[in-house]
């Protein structure tokens, strides 16, 4: 027991658990905003307005076509000095980066889910006297949202892992905390094993639950 308590596997845990709190906070905050962006731009891609559709497509393609790391640095350093003229703190920049990045992928999830609903559902809504907006709200969206749940869960796992890139702007998430610990103790192997295990403790149960949920929803 003493050998375990004196090992770096054990001693690194308090550092990593502090990082886990930041990882969880930024992931959930970023995905909450990202879902709003994804819903807006996903529906925007389906809009009959060429302007709205084009702007939504540009957002999705630009974000999906550039590295996440570049986006983080652009928001944290590029925007502050090059465009808006004042500093953005690292936490705000991190949530913004996760939200914008996840929003582009969620937009495709939303677009695909809505597009997958049979055209007869749209026609049924209009035949009942509902407007296009009411048809979307009461008939199409509830069915589409059910189909979004599994891929949204996958996006949660992806965004959770993407927070590891935030160490470049000194966000004290799991990887950053791990680096701080092994820089002091010179124990990179043991520490990084624990970093990976901590991610796996979150991602594996989440993935298993999503598979079970997908079978249950039959989507």
């Amino acid at each position: 027991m003493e050998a375990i308590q004196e090992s770096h596997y054990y001693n690194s845990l308090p550092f990593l658990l502090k990082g886990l709190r930041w990882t969880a906070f930024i992931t959930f905050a970023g995905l909450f905003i990202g879902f709003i962006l994804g819903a807006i731009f996903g529906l925007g891609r389906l809009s009959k307005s060429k302007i709205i559709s084009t702007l939504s497509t540009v957002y999705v393609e630009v974000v999906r076509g550039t590295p996440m790391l570049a986006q983080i640095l652009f928001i944290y350093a590029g925007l502050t000095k090059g465009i808006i003229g004042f500093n953005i703190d690292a936490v705000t920049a991190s949530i913004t980066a996760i939200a914008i990045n996840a929003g582009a992928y969620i937009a495709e999830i939303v677009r695909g889910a809505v597009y997958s609903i049979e055209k007869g559902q749209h026609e049924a809504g209009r035949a009942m006297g509902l407007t296009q907006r009411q048809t979307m709200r009461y008939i199409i969206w509830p069915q589409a949202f059910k189909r979004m749940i599994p891929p949204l869960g996958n996006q949660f796992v992806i965004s959770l892992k993407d927070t590891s890139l935030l160490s470049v702007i000194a966000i004290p998430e799991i990887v950053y905390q791990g680096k701080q610990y092994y820089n002091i103790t010179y124990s990179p192997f043991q520490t990084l094993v624990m970093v990976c295990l901590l991610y796996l403790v979150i991602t594996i149960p989440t993935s298993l639950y999503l598979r079970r949920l997908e079978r249950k929803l039959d989507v």
Side-chain angles (χ1 to χ4, degrees), residues 112-169:
V114 171
Y115 191 75
S116 71
I117 303 300
E118 296 78 7
K119 291 184 179 179
Q121 300 287 331
H122 295 268
E123 295 168 359
R126 302 309 294 270
M128 293 169 60
L130 299 177
T131 64
Q132 185 174 352
R133 183 174 295 182
Q134 289 172 329
T135 301
M136 174 61 70
R137 179 179 177 182
Y138 296 112
I139 298 179
I140 306 303
W141 184 259
Q143 297 180 71
F145 185 75
K146 179 181 176 182
R147 299 183 183 185
M148 293 178 210
I149 294 175
L152 285 175
N154 291 331
Q155 184 58 48
F156 166 78
V157 173
I158 292 168
S159 294
L160 177 76
K161 292 186 292 184
D162 282 345
T163 59
S164 62
L165 298 172
L166 300 173
S167 60
V168 298
I169 57 174

Side-chain angles (χ1 to χ4, degrees), residues 149-157 203-217:
I149 294 175
L152 285 175
N154 291 331
Q155 184 58 48
F156 166 78
V157 173
T203 58
I204 290 178
T206 301
S207 298
L208 292 174
Y209 174 75
L210 289 171
R211 290 175 192 171
R212 182 179 177 184
L213 182 63
E214 189 171 353
R215 289 193 298 268
K216 184 177 179 180
L217 294 174

